Amino acid sequence: MNLHSLLQARHASGQPVRVALIGAGKFGSMFLSQVPHVVGLEVPVIIDLDPERARDACRTIGWSAELIERTAFSVDGAKALADNIDVVVEATGSPAAGIRHARAAIRAGKHIVMVNVEADVLAGPLLADEARTAGVVYSLAYGDQPALTAELVDWARATGFHVVAAGKGTKYLPAYHDVTPDGVWQHYGLTAGEAQSAGMNPQMFNSFLDGTKSAIEMAAIANATALDVPNDGLLFPPCGVDDLPHVLRPRERGGVLERSGMVEVVSSLERDGRPVFRDLRWGVYVVLEAPNDYAADCFRQYGLKTDTSGRYAAMYKPYHLIGLELNVSVLSAALRKEPTGQPRGFRGDVVAVAKKTLRAGEMLDGEGGYTVWGKVLPAATSLQLGALPIGLAHRVKLTRDVAHGEVLRWSDVAIDTADETVSVRKQMEAVFAR
């Protein structure tokens, strides 16, 4: 509760917090839209594969011509590592680019805010270790659901509660796992033409629908909080906010969880497609257990919704504002030298699962595509299976047939072992398998 006052003091000293943004897509644009309204924060460098598109984005969000003129737009990621830069924000969405940019920032002594949760789940535990060794901050991105969930978990633990479950809401039906970009827009109530005119990427939006993004975000939360992931993937139980303490209890207590202390995603749709009452589609939650009878009595006295035992309750945020909230991470890293969540272990992994029967010689097309979706598994299970991470299931060729619904393995694809992303992932597996 003191970031703003710390920033005011920094500004008064004539030393603004200076940020380099890599990737001026939707998340990056939302962050940039807030920058002119935060005295003491500057973004002098924006890196994007299309600098002119990035300039257009700045015009669209209301940047003045003068501010755009003062900003350097480039395709060269090295420009993000200038001496006067405090924090690098990685928002490309590409696992390979994210890992490369994060390691370069760490080597250059810059704090790194990893909007790119795809890269974080592929190699984040190793990257965070490297950052800690270098004395810089590696942070999840506040405003995105993993960091907001990690904050709720930290709040619950710091106040003395046992965390039973944590996660987020989404729109889910089992059939969504097999949806391809060709069929995605009907589930969002849009036509293909409407989506195209709005500049919406069907593969990216499909990764939210087919369960991949949920799996990635739950793995990130598990790695940041030491919570467990389900043994055979997320359950996506239909659940509204009033029912969180009832549904997200251990099975032995009448809930759906394998045990206490797990991540899970709740669906805003009943299995027959009806909307869930008071759903949490856009929000995050934590279910907590009272450590004693007195705390349980306080739950009742102060109006918390509990299960029938009165021992389980929930806290939640109904919405998340994505890039509009990212300054919390940026300022926390620059002013307090603290992350807003970061991986501290390798507990959850996201593996590629076939959306259809795949044939030898086919090329995989990654998250949200036509060939695979991402399923979260315990990291130990993924390593035992030799499962192919979803972050590497892109532009690689199958070497054998794979049945619909089968988990793909490293041995099923022709992997370039000399590729930097592959080598970093293998290094991370070797370090954290111990």
PDB file of all heavy atoms in Angstrom, residues 209-242:
ATOM      1  N   LEU A 209     -10.160 -20.934 -24.998  1.00  0.00           N
ATOM      2  CA  LEU A 209     -11.351 -21.773 -25.018  1.00  0.00           C
ATOM      3  C   LEU A 209     -11.025 -23.249 -24.816  1.00  0.00           C
ATOM      4  O   LEU A 209     -11.734 -23.955 -24.086  1.00  0.00           O
ATOM      5  CB  LEU A 209     -12.094 -21.581 -26.343  1.00  0.00           C
ATOM      6  CG  LEU A 209     -13.470 -22.247 -26.425  1.00  0.00           C
ATOM      7  CD1 LEU A 209     -14.482 -21.465 -25.598  1.00  0.00           C
ATOM      8  CD2 LEU A 209     -13.924 -22.342 -27.879  1.00  0.00           C
ATOM      9  N   ASP A 210      -9.961 -23.743 -25.445  1.00  0.00           N
ATOM     10  CA  ASP A 210      -9.733 -25.196 -25.440  1.00  0.00           C
ATOM     11  C   ASP A 210      -9.060 -25.718 -24.172  1.00  0.00           C
ATOM     12  O   ASP A 210      -8.744 -26.907 -24.069  1.00  0.00           O
ATOM     13  CB  ASP A 210      -8.947 -25.632 -26.691  1.00  0.00           C
ATOM     14  CG  ASP A 210      -7.487 -25.189 -26.700  1.00  0.00           C
ATOM     15  OD1 ASP A 210      -6.987 -24.698 -25.669  1.00  0.00           O
ATOM     16  OD2 ASP A 210      -6.827 -25.359 -27.755  1.00  0.00           O
ATOM     17  N   GLY A 211      -8.863 -24.857 -23.195  1.00  0.00           N
ATOM     18  CA  GLY A 211      -8.319 -25.276 -21.916  1.00  0.00           C
ATOM     19  C   GLY A 211      -6.834 -25.082 -21.767  1.00  0.00           C
ATOM     20  O   GLY A 211      -6.302 -25.214 -20.662  1.00  0.00           O
ATOM     21  N   THR A 212      -6.130 -24.751 -22.848  1.00  0.00           N
ATOM     22  CA  THR A 212      -4.673 -24.630 -22.782  1.00  0.00           C
ATOM     23  C   THR A 212      -4.250 -23.480 -21.879  1.00  0.00           C
ATOM     24  O   THR A 212      -3.365 -23.636 -21.029  1.00  0.00           O
ATOM     25  CB  THR A 212      -4.100 -24.432 -24.196  1.00  0.00           C
ATOM     26  OG1 THR A 212      -4.466 -25.542 -25.020  1.00  0.00           O
ATOM     27  CG2 THR A 212      -2.593 -24.319 -24.151  1.00  0.00           C
ATOM     28  N   LYS A 213      -4.852 -22.316 -22.061  1.00  0.00           N
ATOM     29  CA  LYS A 213      -4.447 -21.165 -21.251  1.00  0.00           C
ATOM     30  C   LYS A 213      -4.732 -21.406 -19.778  1.00  0.00           C
ATOM     31  O   LYS A 213      -3.933 -21.019 -18.900  1.00  0.00           O
ATOM     32  CB  LYS A 213      -5.171 -19.903 -21.728  1.00  0.00           C
ATOM     33  CG  LYS A 213      -4.688 -18.637 -21.067  1.00  0.00           C
ATOM     34  CD  LYS A 213      -3.260 -18.296 -21.475  1.00  0.00           C
ATOM     35  CE  LYS A 213      -3.199 -17.760 -22.886  1.00  0.00           C
ATOM     36  NZ  LYS A 213      -1.859 -17.251 -23.243  1.00  0.00           N
ATOM     37  N   SER A 214      -5.841 -22.044 -19.470  1.00  0.00           N
ATOM     38  CA  SER A 214      -6.138 -22.370 -18.075  1.00  0.00           C
ATOM     39  C   SER A 214      -5.072 -23.292 -17.495  1.00  0.00           C
ATOM     40  O   SER A 214      -4.630 -23.109 -16.350  1.00  0.00           O
ATOM     41  CB  SER A 214      -7.516 -23.036 -17.964  1.00  0.00           C
ATOM     42  OG  SER A 214      -8.549 -22.110 -18.225  1.00  0.00           O
ATOM     43  N   ALA A 215      -4.655 -24.286 -18.276  1.00  0.00           N
ATOM     44  CA  ALA A 215      -3.616 -25.207 -17.808  1.00  0.00           C
ATOM     45  C   ALA A 215      -2.308 -24.463 -17.551  1.00  0.00           C
ATOM     46  O   ALA A 215      -1.635 -24.681 -16.530  1.00  0.00           O
ATOM     47  CB  ALA A 215      -3.410 -26.315 -18.841  1.00  0.00           C
ATOM     48  N   ILE A 216      -1.942 -23.576 -18.469  1.00  0.00           N
ATOM     49  CA  ILE A 216      -0.702 -22.814 -18.326  1.00  0.00           C
ATOM     50  C   ILE A 216      -0.754 -21.946 -17.076  1.00  0.00           C
ATOM     51  O   ILE A 216       0.205 -21.892 -16.297  1.00  0.00           O
ATOM     52  CB  ILE A 216      -0.461 -21.969 -19.594  1.00  0.00           C
ATOM     53  CG1 ILE A 216      -0.058 -22.880 -20.772  1.00  0.00           C
ATOM     54  CG2 ILE A 216       0.610 -20.915 -19.357  1.00  0.00           C
ATOM     55  CD1 ILE A 216       0.019 -22.168 -22.106  1.00  0.00           C
ATOM     56  N   GLU A 217      -1.873 -21.285 -16.869  1.00  0.00           N
ATOM     57  CA  GLU A 217      -1.972 -20.386 -15.720  1.00  0.00           C
ATOM     58  C   GLU A 217      -1.982 -21.160 -14.402  1.00  0.00           C
ATOM     59  O   GLU A 217      -1.406 -20.725 -13.400  1.00  0.00           O
ATOM     60  CB  GLU A 217      -3.201 -19.496 -15.868  1.00  0.00           C
ATOM     61  CG  GLU A 217      -3.044 -18.516 -17.025  1.00  0.00           C
ATOM     62  CD  GLU A 217      -4.177 -17.525 -17.150  1.00  0.00           C
ATOM     63  OE1 GLU A 217      -5.300 -17.833 -16.696  1.00  0.00           O
ATOM     64  OE2 GLU A 217      -3.949 -16.435 -17.693  1.00  0.00           O
ATOM     65  N   MET A 218      -2.608 -22.325 -14.363  1.00  0.00           N
ATOM     66  CA  MET A 218      -2.602 -23.114 -13.128  1.00  0.00           C
ATOM     67  C   MET A 218      -1.211 -23.673 -12.839  1.00  0.00           C
ATOM     68  O   MET A 218      -0.800 -23.763 -11.675  1.00  0.00           O
ATOM     69  CB  MET A 218      -3.623 -24.244 -13.206  1.00  0.00           C
ATOM     70  CG  MET A 218      -5.066 -23.782 -13.208  1.00  0.00           C
ATOM     71  SD  MET A 218      -5.537 -22.690 -11.828  1.00  0.00           S
ATOM     72  CE  MET A 218      -5.551 -21.099 -12.680  1.00  0.00           C
ATOM     73  N   ALA A 219      -0.467 -24.038 -13.876  1.00  0.00           N
ATOM     74  CA  ALA A 219       0.916 -24.487 -13.660  1.00  0.00           C
ATOM     75  C   ALA A 219       1.759 -23.346 -13.096  1.00  0.00           C
ATOM     76  O   ALA A 219       2.571 -23.555 -12.185  1.00  0.00           O
ATOM     77  CB  ALA A 219       1.514 -25.002 -14.967  1.00  0.00           C
ATOM     78  N   ALA A 220       1.564 -22.139 -13.620  1.00  0.00           N
ATOM     79  CA  ALA A 220       2.309 -20.986 -13.117  1.00  0.00           C
ATOM     80  C   ALA A 220       1.987 -20.729 -11.647  1.00  0.00           C
ATOM     81  O   ALA A 220       2.878 -20.434 -10.843  1.00  0.00           O
ATOM     82  CB  ALA A 220       1.992 -19.748 -13.960  1.00  0.00           C
ATOM     83  N   ILE A 221       0.713 -20.844 -11.281  1.00  0.00           N
ATOM     84  CA  ILE A 221       0.314 -20.637  -9.891  1.00  0.00           C
ATOM     85  C   ILE A 221       0.916 -21.719  -8.999  1.00  0.00           C
ATOM     86  O   ILE A 221       1.437 -21.429  -7.910  1.00  0.00           O
ATOM     87  CB  ILE A 221      -1.217 -20.622  -9.767  1.00  0.00           C
ATOM     88  CG1 ILE A 221      -1.792 -19.389 -10.473  1.00  0.00           C
ATOM     89  CG2 ILE A 221      -1.654 -20.646  -8.303  1.00  0.00           C
ATOM     90  CD1 ILE A 221      -3.288 -19.454 -10.694  1.00  0.00           C
ATOM     91  N   ALA A 222       0.846 -22.962  -9.438  1.00  0.00           N
ATOM     92  CA  ALA A 222       1.411 -24.060  -8.647  1.00  0.00           C
ATOM     93  C   ALA A 222       2.904 -23.856  -8.421  1.00  0.00           C
ATOM     94  O   ALA A 222       3.411 -24.044  -7.309  1.00  0.00           O
ATOM     95  CB  ALA A 222       1.146 -25.391  -9.348  1.00  0.00           C
ATOM     96  N   ASN A 223       3.614 -23.458  -9.457  1.00  0.00           N
ATOM     97  CA  ASN A 223       5.058 -23.261  -9.335  1.00  0.00           C
ATOM     98  C   ASN A 223       5.405 -22.074  -8.448  1.00  0.00           C
ATOM     99  O   ASN A 223       6.480 -22.041  -7.849  1.00  0.00           O
ATOM    100  CB  ASN A 223       5.674 -23.088 -10.724  1.00  0.00           C
ATOM    101  CG  ASN A 223       5.604 -24.355 -11.549  1.00  0.00           C
ATOM    102  OD1 ASN A 223       5.470 -25.454 -11.011  1.00  0.00           O
ATOM    103  ND2 ASN A 223       5.692 -24.223 -12.868  1.00  0.00           N
ATOM    104  N   ALA A 224       4.503 -21.109  -8.372  1.00  0.00           N
ATOM    105  CA  ALA A 224       4.755 -19.911  -7.561  1.00  0.00           C
ATOM    106  C   ALA A 224       4.329 -20.078  -6.106  1.00  0.00           C
ATOM    107  O   ALA A 224       4.839 -19.372  -5.234  1.00  0.00           O
ATOM    108  CB  ALA A 224       4.036 -18.704  -8.160  1.00  0.00           C
ATOM    109  N   THR A 225       3.399 -20.993  -5.836  1.00  0.00           N
ATOM    110  CA  THR A 225       2.802 -21.083  -4.499  1.00  0.00           C
ATOM    111  C   THR A 225       3.030 -22.412  -3.808  1.00  0.00           C
ATOM    112  O   THR A 225       2.630 -22.577  -2.643  1.00  0.00           O
ATOM    113  CB  THR A 225       1.282 -20.859  -4.576  1.00  0.00           C
ATOM    114  OG1 THR A 225       0.707 -21.904  -5.387  1.00  0.00           O
ATOM    115  CG2 THR A 225       0.944 -19.498  -5.177  1.00  0.00           C
ATOM    116  N   ALA A 226       3.618 -23.377  -4.481  1.00  0.00           N
ATOM    117  CA  ALA A 226       3.825 -24.734  -3.946  1.00  0.00           C
ATOM    118  C   ALA A 226       2.514 -25.478  -3.727  1.00  0.00           C
ATOM    119  O   ALA A 226       2.469 -26.443  -2.958  1.00  0.00           O
ATOM    120  CB  ALA A 226       4.655 -24.714  -2.662  1.00  0.00           C
ATOM    121  N   LEU A 227       1.450 -25.058  -4.397  1.00  0.00           N
ATOM    122  CA  LEU A 227       0.232 -25.857  -4.432  1.00  0.00           C
ATOM    123  C   LEU A 227       0.398 -26.977  -5.451  1.00  0.00           C
ATOM    124  O   LEU A 227       1.239 -26.886  -6.354  1.00  0.00           O
ATOM    125  CB  LEU A 227      -0.971 -24.985  -4.792  1.00  0.00           C
ATOM    126  CG  LEU A 227      -1.369 -23.920  -3.763  1.00  0.00           C
ATOM    127  CD1 LEU A 227      -2.434 -22.994  -4.341  1.00  0.00           C
ATOM    128  CD2 LEU A 227      -1.854 -24.551  -2.466  1.00  0.00           C
ATOM    129  N   ASP A 228      -0.414 -28.016  -5.322  1.00  0.00           N
ATOM    130  CA  ASP A 228      -0.333 -29.157  -6.229  1.00  0.00           C
ATOM    131  C   ASP A 228      -1.306 -28.996  -7.390  1.00  0.00           C
ATOM    132  O   ASP A 228      -2.288 -28.243  -7.298  1.00  0.00           O
ATOM    133  CB  ASP A 228      -0.653 -30.454  -5.486  1.00  0.00           C
ATOM    134  CG  ASP A 228       0.432 -30.851  -4.508  1.00  0.00           C
ATOM    135  OD1 ASP A 228       1.617 -30.544  -4.772  1.00  0.00           O
ATOM    136  OD2 ASP A 228       0.109 -31.457  -3.475  1.00  0.00           O
ATOM    137  N   VAL A 229      -1.043 -29.723  -8.479  1.00  0.00           N
ATOM    138  CA  VAL A 229      -1.985 -29.777  -9.599  1.00  0.00           C
ATOM    139  C   VAL A 229      -2.640 -31.153  -9.598  1.00  0.00           C
ATOM    140  O   VAL A 229      -2.069 -32.124  -9.099  1.00  0.00           O
ATOM    141  CB  VAL A 229      -1.294 -29.501 -10.952  1.00  0.00           C
ATOM    142  CG1 VAL A 229      -0.598 -28.152 -10.942  1.00  0.00           C
ATOM    143  CG2 VAL A 229      -0.299 -30.594 -11.300  1.00  0.00           C
ATOM    144  N   PRO A 230      -3.852 -31.271 -10.141  1.00  0.00           N
ATOM    145  CA  PRO A 230      -4.525 -32.575 -10.165  1.00  0.00           C
ATOM    146  C   PRO A 230      -3.700 -33.612 -10.931  1.00  0.00           C
ATOM    147  O   PRO A 230      -2.992 -33.287 -11.888  1.00  0.00           O
ATOM    148  CB  PRO A 230      -5.843 -32.269 -10.878  1.00  0.00           C
ATOM    149  CG  PRO A 230      -6.068 -30.811 -10.677  1.00  0.00           C
ATOM    150  CD  PRO A 230      -4.700 -30.195 -10.687  1.00  0.00           C
ATOM    151  N   ASN A 231      -3.835 -34.872 -10.504  1.00  0.00           N
ATOM    152  CA  ASN A 231      -3.010 -35.937 -11.084  1.00  0.00           C
ATOM    153  C   ASN A 231      -3.303 -36.187 -12.553  1.00  0.00           C
ATOM    154  O   ASN A 231      -2.420 -36.620 -13.293  1.00  0.00           O
ATOM    155  CB  ASN A 231      -3.201 -37.239 -10.293  1.00  0.00           C
ATOM    156  CG  ASN A 231      -2.503 -37.203  -8.954  1.00  0.00           C
ATOM    157  OD1 ASN A 231      -1.486 -36.524  -8.786  1.00  0.00           O
ATOM    158  ND2 ASN A 231      -3.050 -37.923  -7.975  1.00  0.00           N
ATOM    159  N   ASP A 232      -4.555 -35.912 -12.995  1.00  0.00           N
ATOM    160  CA  ASP A 232      -4.898 -36.178 -14.388  1.00  0.00           C
ATOM    161  C   ASP A 232      -5.538 -34.965 -15.045  1.00  0.00           C
ATOM    162  O   ASP A 232      -6.443 -35.084 -15.860  1.00  0.00           O
ATOM    163  CB  ASP A 232      -5.838 -37.381 -14.484  1.00  0.00           C
ATOM    164  CG  ASP A 232      -5.989 -37.878 -15.920  1.00  0.00           C
ATOM    165  OD1 ASP A 232      -5.012 -37.775 -16.701  1.00  0.00           O
ATOM    166  OD2 ASP A 232      -7.091 -38.337 -16.271  1.00  0.00           O
ATOM    167  N   GLY A 233      -5.058 -33.783 -14.702  1.00  0.00           N
ATOM    168  CA  GLY A 233      -5.551 -32.576 -15.348  1.00  0.00           C
ATOM    169  C   GLY A 233      -6.685 -31.915 -14.587  1.00  0.00           C
ATOM    170  O   GLY A 233      -7.266 -32.478 -13.656  1.00  0.00           O
ATOM    171  N   LEU A 234      -6.990 -30.705 -14.997  1.00  0.00           N
ATOM    172  CA  LEU A 234      -8.015 -29.901 -14.334  1.00  0.00           C
ATOM    173  C   LEU A 234      -9.395 -30.522 -14.498  1.00  0.00           C
ATOM    174  O   LEU A 234      -9.709 -31.118 -15.531  1.00  0.00           O
ATOM    175  CB  LEU A 234      -8.016 -28.486 -14.913  1.00  0.00           C
ATOM    176  CG  LEU A 234      -6.726 -27.688 -14.712  1.00  0.00           C
ATOM    177  CD1 LEU A 234      -6.745 -26.418 -15.569  1.00  0.00           C
ATOM    178  CD2 LEU A 234      -6.509 -27.335 -13.242  1.00  0.00           C
ATOM    179  N   LEU A 235     -10.235 -30.320 -13.468  1.00  0.00           N
ATOM    180  CA  LEU A 235     -11.597 -30.849 -13.487  1.00  0.00           C
ATOM    181  C   LEU A 235     -12.600 -29.847 -14.036  1.00  0.00           C
ATOM    182  O   LEU A 235     -13.661 -30.245 -14.514  1.00  0.00           O
ATOM    183  CB  LEU A 235     -12.013 -31.252 -12.069  1.00  0.00           C
ATOM    184  CG  LEU A 235     -11.160 -32.319 -11.390  1.00  0.00           C
ATOM    185  CD1 LEU A 235     -11.607 -32.508  -9.942  1.00  0.00           C
ATOM    186  CD2 LEU A 235     -11.243 -33.628 -12.160  1.00  0.00           C
ATOM    187  N   PHE A 236     -12.334 -28.556 -13.929  1.00  0.00           N
ATOM    188  CA  PHE A 236     -13.241 -27.492 -14.377  1.00  0.00           C
ATOM    189  C   PHE A 236     -14.653 -27.679 -13.815  1.00  0.00           C
ATOM    190  O   PHE A 236     -15.635 -27.637 -14.558  1.00  0.00           O
ATOM    191  CB  PHE A 236     -13.319 -27.439 -15.903  1.00  0.00           C
ATOM    192  CG  PHE A 236     -12.045 -27.081 -16.607  1.00  0.00           C
ATOM    193  CD1 PHE A 236     -11.216 -28.076 -17.110  1.00  0.00           C
ATOM    194  CD2 PHE A 236     -11.669 -25.765 -16.789  1.00  0.00           C
ATOM    195  CE1 PHE A 236     -10.033 -27.758 -17.780  1.00  0.00           C
ATOM    196  CE2 PHE A 236     -10.493 -25.432 -17.452  1.00  0.00           C
ATOM    197  CZ  PHE A 236      -9.675 -26.436 -17.940  1.00  0.00           C
ATOM    198  N   PRO A 237     -14.833 -27.869 -12.509  1.00  0.00           N
ATOM    199  CA  PRO A 237     -16.198 -28.059 -11.991  1.00  0.00           C
ATOM    200  C   PRO A 237     -17.033 -26.796 -12.159  1.00  0.00           C
ATOM    201  O   PRO A 237     -16.557 -25.684 -11.923  1.00  0.00           O
ATOM    202  CB  PRO A 237     -15.968 -28.361 -10.509  1.00  0.00           C
ATOM    203  CG  PRO A 237     -14.674 -27.678 -10.187  1.00  0.00           C
ATOM    204  CD  PRO A 237     -13.833 -27.835 -11.424  1.00  0.00           C
ATOM    205  N   PRO A 238     -18.309 -26.917 -12.559  1.00  0.00           N
ATOM    206  CA  PRO A 238     -19.187 -25.746 -12.572  1.00  0.00           C
ATOM    207  C   PRO A 238     -19.362 -25.244 -11.142  1.00  0.00           C
ATOM    208  O   PRO A 238     -19.650 -26.024 -10.232  1.00  0.00           O
ATOM    209  CB  PRO A 238     -20.507 -26.295 -13.132  1.00  0.00           C
ATOM    210  CG  PRO A 238     -20.156 -27.590 -13.796  1.00  0.00           C
ATOM    211  CD  PRO A 238     -18.993 -28.134 -13.043  1.00  0.00           C
ATOM    212  N   CYS A 239     -19.184 -23.927 -10.946  1.00  0.00           N
ATOM    213  CA  CYS A 239     -19.221 -23.415  -9.583  1.00  0.00           C
ATOM    214  C   CYS A 239     -19.335 -21.894  -9.589  1.00  0.00           C
ATOM    215  O   CYS A 239     -18.557 -21.217 -10.265  1.00  0.00           O
ATOM    216  CB  CYS A 239     -17.958 -23.838  -8.825  1.00  0.00           C
ATOM    217  SG  CYS A 239     -17.937 -23.357  -7.090  1.00  0.00           S
ATOM    218  N   GLY A 240     -20.297 -21.374  -8.836  1.00  0.00           N
ATOM    219  CA  GLY A 240     -20.404 -19.945  -8.617  1.00  0.00           C
ATOM    220  C   GLY A 240     -19.678 -19.534  -7.353  1.00  0.00           C
ATOM    221  O   GLY A 240     -19.224 -20.380  -6.569  1.00  0.00           O
ATOM    222  N   VAL A 241     -19.588 -18.231  -7.127  1.00  0.00           N
ATOM    223  CA  VAL A 241     -18.778 -17.751  -6.008  1.00  0.00           C
ATOM    224  C   VAL A 241     -19.322 -18.206  -4.661  1.00  0.00           C
ATOM    225  O   VAL A 241     -18.553 -18.460  -3.716  1.00  0.00           O
ATOM    226  CB  VAL A 241     -18.647 -16.209  -6.040  1.00  0.00           C
ATOM    227  CG1 VAL A 241     -17.864 -15.778  -7.267  1.00  0.00           C
ATOM    228  CG2 VAL A 241     -20.015 -15.526  -6.002  1.00  0.00           C
ATOM    229  N   ASP A 242     -20.651 -18.343  -4.528  1.00  0.00           N
ATOM    230  CA  ASP A 242     -21.221 -18.747  -3.247  1.00  0.00           C
ATOM    231  C   ASP A 242     -20.924 -20.202  -2.914  1.00  0.00           C
ATOM    232  O   ASP A 242     -20.971 -20.594  -1.740  1.00  0.00           O
ATOM    233  CB  ASP A 242     -22.737 -18.530  -3.249  1.00  0.00           C
ATOM    234  CG  ASP A 242     -23.116 -17.074  -3.437  1.00  0.00           C
ATOM    235  OD1 ASP A 242     -22.334 -16.204  -2.996  1.00  0.00           O
ATOM    236  OD2 ASP A 242     -24.166 -16.797  -4.033  1.00  0.00           O
TER     237      ASP A 242
END
